Amino acid sequence: METWNKLYSSTIESFLLRKRKLQQVIMGFNVNIDKVIRIRPDTLQGFKSKNLDEILLQKEVPMDIKSIESFVLCLLRAIEGGKADEKLIVTEDVCDWIENTFVVDEIKIGGQAGIMANLLTKLELADVLLSLPVYDDSFVDLLHDKINIPFESNGICSVQSITKLQGFEKKRFIHYVFEFDKGTYYLTTSNSIECPRQNRFIASHDTVNSLLEIKSCFKKYSLENIQKYSIAIVSGFHLLNPEIQDNTTYYDIIAPIISMFKEWKKINPDLKIHLEFAATRDRKLIKAIFQRLLPLVNSIGLNEQELLSVLETTNVTTYKKLRNEMSSVNLFEGILNIWVKYPHLRIHLHYLGYYLTISSRLHEKQAIKRKQALILSAVFASVKARNGSICSIVEINNVLCSVSKSGYDEIEGLFSFLRSEYKSIDEIEDGIVSTDSFTVIGIPTIIIKSAKQLVGVGDTISVLALLLEN
Ligand code: GLC
């Protein structure tokens, strides 16, 4: 473990000393407003009027939220499982009830595209072109003013700062983010539930991102300028909801995006497209993403819950194994399963205490660069978890470089499994092995015991690991 701690310190040191290049990055498609609500041990007692015992008896967690009861059930189950989850709220009444029942602690930019665009711009690591699905005046205070937003005025399409945009549209796209800690939550004075792990549950009411709206000006501008971009980071597919428009399917919503990706790649074959997953258990949607989008992108990022839901649809045996035991070997087998179907992909899995990547076999230099990028992403993620946000690069100077013991043991366990499972294996250095066909990189990470906020930490990990290896 000491070797890893030293490696973390030296990686930070050399990163701060090196000259960093500003990369040209495209980002889309989900940007929304997050209302963060911190659940405290007695918050749930406010639900007195609801029959909590009866609600808790229900076995199945609903796919989406159609009533206050179904919202309460989803929230309580997420707390009981300590799981990161997200559900769509179908009826506005539930939003009104949430607004009247809870105290909102903070309003932030939400949606992976919005969060990652702000982060890369603030850290001066990228010049970002952002697809903004709707021009709402509340974004002015939440989005960084140096982000480039394609905007059409009088038939002319140009890029603008959020501060210069006009023609605001009013639509509802609020996401309620319920953050909870490990511990006891009281439902009544005598009845309680236990939360095993700090996490967050998101309930979203969003008619904008649910149709993955992309302005025609963004399409035009990105295509005309695609040569100058090296990376496109896309997300928001988990929010798709064909039910809000007549005669629409997932494939109908995805089709224009597929054409846009193909056009981008035709002009700029070197463009790397990364797709960031988010929670959804809708099998039809997962199938559409898996079959239509994965062949077109170069890289994907996901956490263990997102991996589970992909496997539930694509490989039930691996899914059951992983659901029974969340070990590094089972997680590796999960991502291997996706990789075998799409060997052109770089797959990055982030889990509490360690990260894994798999891709086709890398040269030694590339593999070492990827490992360093993973380490740096873990460092930034620890700053984000501890402080709730990252204000500047120098903050990583104050990170306590002490990797998780359980993460370290899991990585050790995985690498001895790989040694025994694969005959010809090249061990490049700690945390990197290659077989004839693929390279696996695994690093233990830093765990922040009592994080200030968890929403957006996964996005921070994925985007920085990707950007910094380039
Ligand atoms: C999902 C949610 C969004 C949240 C983001 C954080 O995209 O819809 O509200 O900000 O995840 O990763």
Side-chain angles (χ1 to χ4, degrees):
M1 263 175 57
E2 227 5 76
T3 328
W4 281 103
N5 294 344
K6 283 199 184 117
L7 184 61
Y8 264 75
S9 304
S10 61
T11 310
I12 294 177
E13 205 176 307
S14 62
F15 176 70
L16 288 173
L17 289 176
R18 93 173 171 236
K19 201 167 174 294
R20 292 174 290 271
K21 63 174 179 200
L22 192 70
Q23 302 197 45
Q24 300 293 328
V25 178
I26 294 184
M27 283 198 177
F29 301 100
N30 59 330
V31 186
N32 61 265
I33 292 162
D34 276 350
K35 288 194 171 179
V36 184
I37 295 166
R38 182 147 280 287
I39 303 283
R40 299 182 169 82
D42 60 353
T43 308
L44 308 179
Q45 288 190 32
F47 296 167
K48 279 191 188 80
S49 57
K50 298 281 136 219
N51 191 344
L52 294 175
D53 291 335
E54 226 166 77
I55 291 177
L56 274 173
L57 281 178
Q58 296 177 36
K59 290 225 163 56
E60 279 294 305
V61 179
M63 193 88 92
D64 48 26
I65 298 172
K66 293 199 172 77
S67 64
I68 298 171
E69 283 71 20
S70 60
F71 160 75
V72 174
L73 179 61
C74 293
L75 174 66
L76 296 186
R77 287 280 185 249
I79 295 177
E80 259 184 343
K83 283 187 191 153
D85 202 359
E86 178 165 0
K87 300 272 182 217
L88 290 182
I89 303 177
V90 186
T91 46
E92 294 216 2
D93 298 358
V94 179
C95 299
D96 296 337
W97 185 80
I98 291 175
E99 294 274 348
N100 294 329
T101 308
F102 296 93
V103 177
V104 173
D105 290 287
E106 196 183 348
I107 297 183
K108 303 186 82 165
I109 195 70
Q112 285 101 332
I115 293 173
M116 298 193 265
N118 261 6
L119 179 73
L120 294 186
T121 311
K122 207 177 344 166
L123 297 184
E124 296 177 4
L125 290 173
D127 190 23
V128 174
L129 181 76
L130 176 67
S131 164
L132 198 62
V134 65
Y135 303 134
D136 184 285
D137 52 6
S138 46
F139 284 142
V140 177
D141 298 326
L142 301 176
L143 277 173
H144 197 292
D145 61 359
K146 289 216 170 79
I147 295 173
N148 303 304
I149 301 164
F151 180 70
E152 187 166 341
S153 168
N154 299 326
I156 299 170
C157 181
S158 60
V159 292
Q160 297 287 351
S161 155
I162 187 71
T163 53
K164 301 270 167 50
L165 297 192
Q166 305 149 357
F168 297 117
E169 306 153 52
K170 277 274 161 230
K171 290 194 181 166
R172 209 162 179 176
F173 52 104
I174 302 290
H175 295 203
Y176 299 97
V177 180
F178 297 88
E179 294 255 352
F180 42 84
D181 290 327
K182 181 176 174 188
T184 308
Y185 290 88
Y186 293 96
L187 304 180
T188 60
T189 34
S190 53
N191 189 4
S192 64
I193 52 172
E194 281 300 316
C195 173
R197 174 187 158 183
Q198 183 179 16
N199 225 320
R200 91 285 184 284
F201 169 69
I202 305 176
S204 308
H205 183 66
D206 192 332
T207 50
V208 176
N209 292 294
S210 296
L211 289 174
L212 224 68
E213 289 195 19
I214 301 174
K215 301 272 182 208
S216 57
C217 178
F218 171 83
K219 284 191 193 146
K220 190 166 174 271
Y221 187 89
S222 63
L223 191 61
E224 280 171 6
N225 294 278
I226 199 68
Q227 283 292 18
K228 83 172 201 196
Y229 293 98
S230 51
I231 299 178
I233 299 174
V234 297
S235 55
F237 300 95
H238 66 293
L239 295 169
L240 296 192
N241 183 6
E243 279 174 25
I244 57 178
Q245 198 161 285
D246 289 343
N247 299 322
T248 308
T249 65
Y250 287 124
Y251 292 104
D252 296 332
I253 305 178
I254 292 178
I257 294 170
I258 293 179
S259 320
M260 186 167 74
F261 287 177
K262 286 185 178 159
E263 285 180 275
W264 283 353
K265 288 263 192 176
K266 207 160 131 197
I267 303 177
N268 182 357
D270 293 334
L271 178 78
K272 289 200 185 102
I273 306 182
H274 170 91
L275 185 150
E276 189 62 20
F277 269 82
T280 175
R281 291 195 55 220
D282 185 331
R283 283 162 178 251
K284 279 193 191 144
L285 174 56
I286 290 176
K287 247 192 189 149
I289 296 175
F290 204 77
Q291 292 173 348
R292 302 290 163 103
L293 291 169
L294 295 203
L296 290 175
V297 303
N298 306 81
S299 165
I300 62 171
L302 73 184
N303 67 23
E304 79 290 351
Q305 294 304 327
E306 292 150 10
L307 177 63
L308 267 176
S309 42
V310 171
L311 294 173
E312 191 179 10
T313 305
T314 58
N315 188 316
V316 180
T317 318
T318 317
Y319 162 73
K320 284 193 180 148
K321 224 171 136 190
L322 182 58
R323 200 190 47 190
N324 287 342
E325 195 198 353
M326 198 60 86
S327 66
S328 55
V329 171
N330 290 348
L331 283 167
F332 163 74
E333 290 191 331
I335 54 173
L336 177 66
N337 209 275
I338 303 178
W339 185 81
V340 167
K341 293 184 183 108
Y342 295 113
H344 67 284
L345 285 179
R346 160 195 179 276
I347 304 176
H348 176 184
L349 173 107
H350 46 91
Y351 186 53
L352 189 73
Y354 58 98
Y355 308 155
L356 300 177
T357 63
I358 183 168
S359 66
S360 59
R361 193 183 159 102
L362 296 175
H363 293 303
E364 191 174 323
K365 241 179 151 180
Q366 286 172 299
I368 293 173
K369 207 155 180 216
R370 178 165 295 169
K371 181 174 136 187
Q372 285 167 348
L374 287 173
I375 291 176
L376 288 168
S377 74
V379 171
F380 279 106
S382 74
V383 175
K384 165 102 176 164
R386 194 186 54 211
N387 303 343
S389 63
I390 308 173
C391 297
S392 88
I393 280 200
V394 291
E395 279 176 294
I396 62 173
N397 240 335
N398 304 327
V399 168
L400 188 65
C401 294
S402 165
V403 298
S404 144
K405 166 87 175 78
S406 62
Y408 172 81
D409 291 343
E410 286 290 339
I411 291 294
E412 288 283 295
L414 173 63
F415 279 72
S416 36
F417 165 81
L418 292 171
R419 268 177 230 121
S420 64
E421 194 71 5
Y422 295 91
K423 300 267 160 347
S424 60
I425 200 160
D426 281 344
E427 294 211 35
I428 295 167
E429 55 174 69
D430 269 1
I432 308 177
V433 295
S434 286
T435 66
D436 290 341
S437 48
F438 60 77
T439 297
V440 178
I441 304 180
I443 64 151
T445 64
I446 302 165
I447 295 183
I448 298 297
K449 287 261 156 43
S450 184
K452 185 155 177 208
Q453 210 170 74
L454 287 180
V455 65
V457 172
D459 309 332
T460 304
I461 297 166
S462 289
V463 73
L464 291 174
L466 179 79
L467 203 87
L468 298 175
E469 77 171 47
N470 281 287

